[in-house]
Amino acid sequence: MSQSTANHTVIRQAAQWLALWHSGSMTDADMLRLADWRAAKPEHEHAWRQAELLAQKLTHIPPQLGMPVLDRAISRRDFIKPLALLLVTMPTGMLAYRYAPWREWAADYRTATGERRELVLADGSRVMLNTASAINVVFTDQQRELRLLAGEILIQTAPDPHPVHRPFIVQTAEGRLRALGTHFNVRQQDAWTQLAVLEGAVEATPAAAKQHASVITAGRQSSLTEHEVHAATNLDEKRTAWADGILYVDKMRLDEFVAELGRYRPGVLRCEADVAHLEVSGVFQLNDTDRILAALQNTLPVQLHWRTRYWVTVAYRA
């Protein structure tokens, strides 16, 4: 059996176990069998945890997969089909890059939804991981490389202690970012990379157009696709406030605000179309998303509909 086939088999097994778990018909014997299965191999436990996570975050996947799972009473059979399809048969391209489960499960470092984590690398560089982020760290005699698999990171590079200087590289789905003695922020989006440079400079090189590299200097920000580096603009200094657990917004559309807040909150957070245009301004503490949602009701003509603790809709207040 190939490694790919083995991985898919484990993922399908995890989906089936999760379906049984949520079916309400799990027996004591089933619980013991599940415990044995999870303990049998590390990849079983990884698969189980990721299946649980994806079941909570179906707001981020195609509606035709997610809605049948969470929008009605379901049977075990109903649950397995969309979840197994999601876990095993993701399309190619960026969606596969972002959701390929083994990349993130096996990442050197990762954070859960709502978690932030600071790392000190072997060369003394510091990396802060934002919510739901994952990176691999690959240091060789030739270069220092971070591979951003998901989410967002804030990097403060340190002088290389190696006898021969090694460039500091961040690799994303869209290309390569080379630090030029710098402090910078990188966020992986659906089909593009966001770059914000606080100090020094960063050379950005698109994966499919390496001749179009651009240097983004301190106080500037840009975005990167596989084919181009967009023109730099002035840096929004509050862009990296997430590292301190703070979200600053100024006249942000409500639907955009809800999407941003949803990054820090497990489950489904939705905004109805008839209130999407409303604007939000303020300073919000990300460690209490319930409080932020409550504040919306106090400042805007909206109300919250709580289907469950993990399924909230922001709607017009009649």
Side-chain angles (χ1 to χ4, degrees), residues 108-109 118-127 135-140 143-146 156-162 166 168:
D108 294 333
Y109 304 99
E118 184 175 27
L119 308 172
V120 179
L121 304 181
D123 67 341
S125 297
R126 292 182 176 273
V127 181
I135 62 171
N136 282 336
V137 179
V138 184
F139 279 21
T140 68
Q143 68 180 25
R144 299 167 289 168
E145 181 179 274
L146 301 185
Q156 176 70 70
T157 60
D160 187 8
H162 198 265
R166 299 169 298 173
F168 192 105

Side-chain angles (χ1 to χ4, degrees), residues 171-177 193 204-213 224-229:
Q171 186 71 43
T172 75
E174 286 71 44
R176 180 177 182 266
L177 306 173
T193 297
T205 304
K210 296 181 180 180
Q211 71 277 17
H212 292 157
L224 174 73
T225 70
E226 290 184 353
H227 300 281
E228 64 177 328
V229 180

Side-chain angles (χ1 to χ4, degrees), residues 28-86:
D28 290 343
D30 291 329
M31 292 284 286
L32 291 174
R33 288 172 52 229
L34 172 58
D36 289 342
W37 180 82
R38 291 173 61 181
K41 296 181 179 179
E43 54 264 37
H44 289 186
E45 180 64 17
H46 285 312
W48 170 256
R49 291 181 180 178
Q50 191 68 8
E52 287 184 307
L53 177 62
L54 289 178
Q56 292 177 355
K57 298 184 68 174
L58 287 172
T59 185
H60 298 302
I61 66 173
Q64 65 268 29
L65 297 182
M67 292 306 292
V69 177
L70 294 180
D71 199 38
R72 56 185 171 83
I74 57 173
S75 68
R76 179 184 179 187
R77 183 177 181 180
D78 291 331
F79 189 97
I80 291 174
K81 184 176 180 180
L83 182 56
L85 180 63
L86 168 65

Side-chain angles (χ1 to χ4, degrees), residues 53 57 110-116 129-133 263-264:
L53 177 62
K57 298 184 68 174
R110 58 205 225 19
T111 52
T113 299
E115 179 188 7
R116 298 185 307 279
L129 280 73
N130 200 0
T131 176
S133 299
R263 297 175 62 209
Y264 299 90

Side-chain angles (χ1 to χ4, degrees), residues 232-248:
T233 60
N234 289 333
L235 175 66
D236 177 359
E237 295 180 356
K238 298 182 177 63
R239 187 164 182 169
T240 59
W242 62 262
D244 297 316
I246 299 173
L247 175 63
Y248 288 93

Side-chain angles (χ1 to χ4, degrees), residues 84-122:
L85 180 63
L86 168 65
L87 291 171
V88 181
T89 61
M90 298 304 292
T92 59
M94 181 54 210
L95 192 60
Y97 179 94
R98 182 173 180 184
Y99 289 107
W102 293 102
R103 292 176 61 92
E104 295 181 27
W105 297 346
D108 294 333
Y109 304 99
R110 58 205 225 19
T111 52
T113 299
E115 179 188 7
R116 298 185 307 279
R117 180 181 180 187
E118 184 175 27
L119 308 172
V120 179
L121 304 181

Side-chain angles (χ1 to χ4, degrees), residues 247-259:
L247 175 63
Y248 288 93
V249 296
D250 181 24
K251 296 182 179 180
M252 179 182 284
R253 281 177 55 100
L254 181 58
D255 55 350
E256 295 175 0
F257 177 77
V258 166

